[in-house]
Amino acid sequence: MSRIGRKPIELPSGVLVGLSPGRVQVNGPLGELSQDVPPRMQIEKTETEIVVTRPTDRGEDRALHGLTRTLIANMVEGVTKGFEKHLEIQGVGYRAQLKGTDLELAVGYSHPVVVKPRKGIEFDVPAPTQVTVKGIDKQMVGQTAAEIRKVRPPEPYKGKGIRYRDEQVRRKVGKRA
């Protein structure tokens, strides 16, 4: 029994949801998102909430039930509050700065690495060793943050590199004399 799929999605004021077969559109104060959803799932909308129900109890329908509900809930949260991921840069001389809307990283290579934001994504650099990725689409924010981390992932000996703020890097013992 999907506990996540059964939970109704609360609709805050100012959020408009449009339903069509196999597609959901959500408009809110921060923007507009649309998502393809499995057409087999029944989505009912009332004034204050959305409820997703599944046609059968087969394994595939059970899996899609929770997924559909979570995708819609993330869209509603994105257009009301937005999403952000925080990255930290550790290492001597490693830093980040904004050049217009682009993010320029100096992380130990012979050249600076420039990361261009996708549509709907913006970068913030509160300190030279901190980067914040913001946007309304949860998947796009996570993907962009992962691509920035991939430029110089944290290494296990000294811990230098780009990591998520709450990430724990497993350290190894180096060579011994």
Side-chain angles (χ1 to χ4, degrees), residues 80 111 129 133 177:
T80 54
H111 59 283
T129 59
V133 181

Side-chain angles (χ1 to χ4, degrees), residues 9-160:
I9 303 165
E10 299 294 324
L11 288 178
S13 60
V15 174
L16 301 172
V17 177
L19 299 174
S20 59
R23 192 139 189 91
V24 176
Q25 284 192 307
V26 180
N27 284 321
L30 296 182
E32 175 182 343
L33 291 172
S34 63
Q35 175 77 43
D36 290 332
V37 294
R40 297 179 55 163
M41 296 295 125
Q42 287 107 25
I43 303 169
E44 288 98 31
K45 183 183 104 172
T46 64
E47 293 294 319
T48 60
E49 65 184 20
I50 297 174
V51 178
V52 179
T53 54
R54 62 180 178 235
T56 66
D57 273 342
R58 286 189 10 228
E60 184 181 337
D61 287 341
R62 291 171 54 178
L64 291 175
H65 187 204
L67 171 73
T68 304
R69 188 254 177 222
T70 303
L71 288 174
I72 297 170
N74 285 341
M75 289 178 9
V76 170
E77 184 178 345
V79 298
T80 54
K81 297 183 230 168
F83 293 101
E84 54 184 43
K85 285 266 192 184
H86 302 279
L87 298 161
E88 290 181 347
I89 302 172
Q90 290 190 349
V92 176
Y94 288 14
R95 65 187 180 282
Q97 63 184 19
L98 283 177
K99 293 277 180 149
T101 58
D102 298 347
L103 179 68
E104 187 177 279
L105 301 168
V107 287
Y109 296 119
S110 61
H111 59 283
V113 179
V114 177
V115 180
K116 297 193 179 299
R118 299 174 178 190
K119 186 173 180 266
I121 296 292
E122 61 184 52
F123 300 125
D124 186 27
V125 182
T129 59
Q130 295 177 349
V131 176
T132 305
V133 181
K134 298 178 184 177
I136 61 172
D137 187 348
K138 185 173 187 176
Q139 189 272 333
M140 206 179 303
V141 168
Q143 182 67 35
T144 305
E147 288 169 0
I148 292 171
R149 181 184 180 276
K150 193 175 178 182
V151 169
R152 179 69 87 170
E155 54 95 16
Y157 297 102
K158 291 184 179 178
K160 294 166 43 172

